[in-house]
């Protein structure tokens, strides 16, 4: 058993009695109420999911295992010659809640080197798809194609399946998916945008650095990849990609089925596809300027044109956050400290939208949160480093999101969480309870 798996086993065994006690002794303690607005309005703010991997506070933003983004970056061991941690060290931290030692990080890196070999048939399947398929379709297909590798599925069908050990097989699949997904993403990038000019894995590089190497990027991009994958990893459990992955896995569908489903949710324009939409919006805006300089006035007009056409301003608003997303801030700070990037015209335009859009959205009066989310800033960095194919940006999100989703379902099995099955009601029932001033319990 690997060091990480052993540590995880220790953590899961120590945690199990807490869940058993909560269920058995305190199962009927009420922690929330549900009103008709929440019932119709996408279950907003109903506390009915449990995770210890991350927590999202509306004002403060995300904490991974109790640490803010700056605290996380500060605490974790760094990649050689870099200010940023490796993705491997973050994976250890997400799974166990402990900051790994440099040796523990090395062990995860060694484990990933073995796991990251992608079966050749995945590439055959991807090459068989129409080349103009969306890269998120390609990523989802690649994950589904690998389902036949699932060790969890093998265990389930072995006749020896039991609830206590099931997490170990989820861990195996989860680790394979996390190790392989950047390699698959790089293959898709090279297939779609670089004429199928493929680059072999460099076994000496950590995950982020190897991704940069495989898509033909500069040394500087290694930190971009590390930062990007970590920032996009997890946002507690209620968002569409994390929740879908959890829901599908709750039926004991294996991690491949579960994460392909999560990725399909991430591909929605109100969720992960918003980073592609932001670049699309900016390019449309620049086209309409016809060579004129962007100003606060013409940015304001473009925002109103979008809102008056009944569309959303991509990259702004959030279902939980009520302030600027710290993931936006972390990327903005990266831009500000990177010579060249902070002078880049696209960065300046995004900064101008940041100064303008919250006021416009507040005046428009619909959104509960007029501030930018993660997707408003992420494309600028990619564009600056030459990753200009913006339909690929959600794939980068999907590589990062695998870390959170896979850590979560490993723990779901470790703690034996139940198949998810909320209750639906009819409109007649809601109207009856509305007339009666509430449902009689
Ligand atoms: N532009 C215009 N209108 C917006 C808006 C925006 N950026 N954000 C919210 N609104 C509107 C909603 O569409 C809703 O309108 P209706 O009452 O007509 O349905 C109203 O404001 C209230 O919405 P809300 O409660 O503030 O926000 P929701 O929880 O319903 O939705 C989100 C959250 C993210 C889907 C929404 O803010 C949005 O569509 N933003 C733009 C797309 C985007 O950037 N998504 C990425 C989110 C981060 C991620 O998951 O990657």
């Amino acid at each position: 058993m690997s060091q990480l798996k052993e540590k995880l086993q220790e953590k899961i065994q120590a945690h199990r009695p807490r869940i058993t006690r909560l269920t058995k002794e305190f199962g009927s303690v009420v922690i929330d109420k549900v009103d008709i607005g929440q019932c119709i309005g996408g279950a907003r703010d109903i506390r009915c999911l449990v995770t210890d991997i991350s927590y999202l506070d509306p004002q403060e933003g995300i904490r991974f295992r109790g640490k803010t983004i700056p605290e996380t970056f500060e605490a974790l061991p760094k990649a050689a010659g870099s200010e940023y941690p490796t993705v491997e060290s973050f994976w250890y931290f997400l799974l166990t809640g402990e900051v790994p030692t440099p040796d523990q990080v090395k062990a995860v890196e060694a484990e990933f080197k073995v796991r990251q070999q992608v079966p050749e048939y995945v590439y055959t399947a991807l090459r068989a798809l129409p080349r103009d398929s969306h890269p998120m379709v390609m990523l989802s297909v690649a994950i589904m194609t690998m389902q036949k590798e699932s060790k969890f599925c093998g265990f389930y069908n072995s006749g020896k399946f039991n609830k206590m050990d099931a997490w170990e097989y989820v861990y195996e699949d989860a680790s394979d998916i996390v190790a392989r997904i950047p390699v698959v993403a790089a293959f898709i990038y090279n297939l779609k945008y670089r004429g199928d000019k493929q680059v072999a894995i460099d076994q000496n590089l950590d995950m982020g650095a190897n991704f940069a190497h495989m898509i033909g990027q500069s040394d500087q991009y290694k930190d971009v990849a590390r930062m990007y994958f970590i920032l996009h990893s997890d946002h507690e459990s209620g968002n569409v990609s994390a929740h879908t992955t959890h829901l599908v896995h709750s039926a004991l569908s294996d991690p491949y089925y579960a994460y392909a489903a999560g990725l399909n949710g991430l591909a929605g324009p109100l969720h992960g596809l918003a980073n592609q939409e932001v670049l699309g919006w900016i390019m449309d805006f620049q086209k309409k300027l016809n060579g004129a300089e962007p100003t606060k006035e013409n940015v304001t007009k473009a925002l109103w044109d979008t809102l008056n056409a009944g569309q959303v301003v991509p990259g702004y608003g959030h279902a939980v956050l009520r302030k600027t997303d710290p993931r936006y801030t972390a990327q903005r700070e990266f831009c500000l400290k990177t010579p060249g990037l902070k002078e880049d015209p696209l960065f300046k335009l995004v900064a101008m939208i940041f100064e303008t859009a919250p006021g416009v959205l507040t005046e428009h009066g619909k959104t509960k949160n007029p501030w930018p989310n993660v997707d408003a800033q992420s494309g600028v960095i990619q564009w600056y480093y030459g990753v200009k194919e913006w339909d690929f940006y959600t794939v980068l999100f999907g590589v990062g999101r695998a870390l959170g989703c896979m850590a979560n379902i490993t723990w779901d099995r470790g703690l034996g969480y139940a198949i998810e099955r909320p209750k639906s009601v009819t409109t007649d029932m809601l109207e009856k309870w509305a007339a009666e001033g509430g449902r009689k319990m």
Side-chain angles (χ1 to χ4, degrees):
M1 196 181 267
S2 72
Q3 278 185 37
L4 171 55
K5 198 170 178 183
E6 249 175 61
K7 173 66 72 180
L8 193 53
Q9 183 173 47
E10 201 183 285
K11 296 271 167 187
I12 286 172
Q13 277 167 359
H15 202 106
R16 277 177 177 161
R18 294 172 66 191
I19 299 301
T20 309
R21 180 160 181 258
L22 282 169
T23 318
K24 289 212 167 128
E25 291 179 37
F26 304 103
S28 56
V29 172
V30 176
I31 56 164
D32 224 333
K33 66 170 183 61
V34 179
D35 60 34
I36 290 178
Q38 290 170 308
C39 196
I40 295 174
R44 211 59 95 251
D45 213 28
I46 300 172
R47 284 152 190 80
C48 62
L49 294 164
V50 193
T51 177
D52 298 293
I53 307 288
S54 69
Y55 180 75
L56 180 58
D57 179 84
Q59 296 302 325
E60 188 191 52
I62 193 68
R63 276 182 184 262
F64 302 118
R65 289 288 189 177
K67 291 195 192 301
T68 62
I69 290 169
E71 287 166 359
T72 303
F73 284 151
E74 176 69 31
L76 293 175
K78 310 293 177 285
S82 163
E83 288 171 35
Y84 282 87
T86 58
V87 180
E88 287 88 340
S89 69
F90 182 71
W91 172 240
Y92 187 105
F93 175 61
L94 269 196
L95 273 175
T96 65
E98 284 186 16
V99 172
T101 63
D103 278 351
Q104 286 167 329
V105 177
K106 273 202 193 106
V108 179
E109 284 179 16
E111 191 182 334
F112 277 15
K113 298 259 151 49
V114 178
R115 293 184 186 274
Q116 71 188 352
Q117 297 303 329
V118 175
E120 197 54 38
Y121 63 76
V122 176
Y123 298 143
T124 307
L126 290 175
R127 285 198 174 101
L129 288 172
R131 208 50 63 87
D132 62 353
S133 298
H134 194 280
M136 281 300 280
V137 170
M138 292 183 163
L139 189 63
S140 180
V141 165
I143 299 293
M144 278 312 304
T145 308
M146 285 189 279
Q147 186 277 336
K148 73 193 199 71
E149 308 284 325
S150 172
K151 295 165 179 103
F152 177 80
C153 184
F155 182 51
Y156 191 83
N157 293 330
S158 68
K160 295 183 196 141
F161 183 82
N162 69 78
K163 278 179 98 173
M164 296 307 273
D165 298 334
W167 73 269
E168 291 196 34
Y169 298 84
V170 175
Y171 169 86
E172 294 299 328
D173 285 352
S175 306
D176 284 345
I177 289 173
V178 167
R180 286 176 186 174
I181 198 167
V183 176
V184 171
F187 179 90
I188 292 170
Y189 187 79
N190 293 332
L191 178 68
K192 253 188 95 73
Y193 313 114
R194 300 175 81 209
D196 202 5
K197 184 177 144 233
Q198 299 298 339
V199 178
I201 291 169
D202 183 336
Q203 289 285 353
N204 297 313
L205 299 175
D206 63 85
M207 180 195 282
N210 183 57
F211 179 75
H213 154 75
M214 287 187 74
I215 64 165
Q217 271 292 338
S218 64
D219 269 1
Q220 278 181 316
Y221 189 88
K222 291 174 179 168
D223 276 345
V224 173
R226 293 174 186 126
M227 173 187 70
Y228 205 93
F229 296 154
I230 292 173
L231 285 182
H232 287 81
S233 60
D234 207 36
H235 222 216
E236 68 169 42
S237 280
N239 65 80
V240 170
S241 50
H243 186 200
T244 305
T245 306
H246 163 80
L247 168 70
V248 173
H249 180 59
S250 82
L252 299 189
S253 297
D254 64 55
Y256 293 89
Y257 281 121
Y259 197 50
L263 284 170
N264 294 347
L266 190 70
L270 297 188
H271 190 19
L273 203 82
N275 55 14
Q276 157 180 336
E277 301 285 286
V278 167
L279 254 284
W281 190 93
I282 289 174
M283 292 304 143
D284 272 1
F285 169 65
Q286 285 182 327
K287 210 185 279 169
K288 282 181 201 146
L289 284 184
N290 215 0
E293 280 295 304
T295 61
K296 279 195 180 173
E297 288 68 37
N298 53 37
V299 167
T300 303
K301 181 181 176 313
L303 291 166
W304 277 112
D305 287 350
T306 299
L307 293 169
N308 290 335
Q311 290 158 10
V312 296
V313 174
Y316 282 77
H318 200 273
V320 178
L321 280 167
R322 294 295 175 259
K323 61 163 264 191
T324 296
D325 190 336
R327 300 171 300 174
Y328 175 94
T329 310
Q331 294 181 89
R332 184 177 149 82
E333 280 165 6
F334 179 92
C335 296
L336 288 172
K337 72 177 184 202
T338 305
L341 222 171
K342 68 172 182 221
E343 291 86 33
D344 185 73
L346 192 61
F347 172 72
K348 286 187 177 164
L349 176 52
V350 165
M352 195 185 281
I353 298 171
F354 180 36
E355 286 164 27
T356 318
V360 171
L361 284 164
T362 303
E363 195 182 331
H364 183 244
K366 263 193 175 181
T367 177
K368 295 188 188 71
N369 175 36
W371 302 105
N373 60 56
V374 64
D375 299 312
Q377 185 70 238
S378 53
V380 177
I381 302 178
Q382 299 301 331
W383 185 272
Y384 177 75
Y385 284 99
V387 181
K388 295 194 172 179
E389 302 82 2
W390 69 74
D391 59 351
F392 189 70
Y393 293 173
T394 314
V395 169
L396 296 170
F397 196 152
V399 172
R401 187 46 57 100
L403 296 157
C405 290
M406 293 300 100
N408 267 293
I409 62 170
T410 304
W411 272 91
D412 286 354
R413 273 303 48 73
L415 301 176
Y417 286 159
I419 183 169
E420 204 179 295
R421 189 19 173 126
K423 182 83 189 82
S424 60
V425 294
T426 66
T427 309
D428 281 348
M429 288 172 183
L430 288 182
E431 284 168 345
K432 178 172 173 287
W433 297 330
E436 291 168 2
R439 177 170 160 250
K440 305 273 177 297
M441 305 281 188

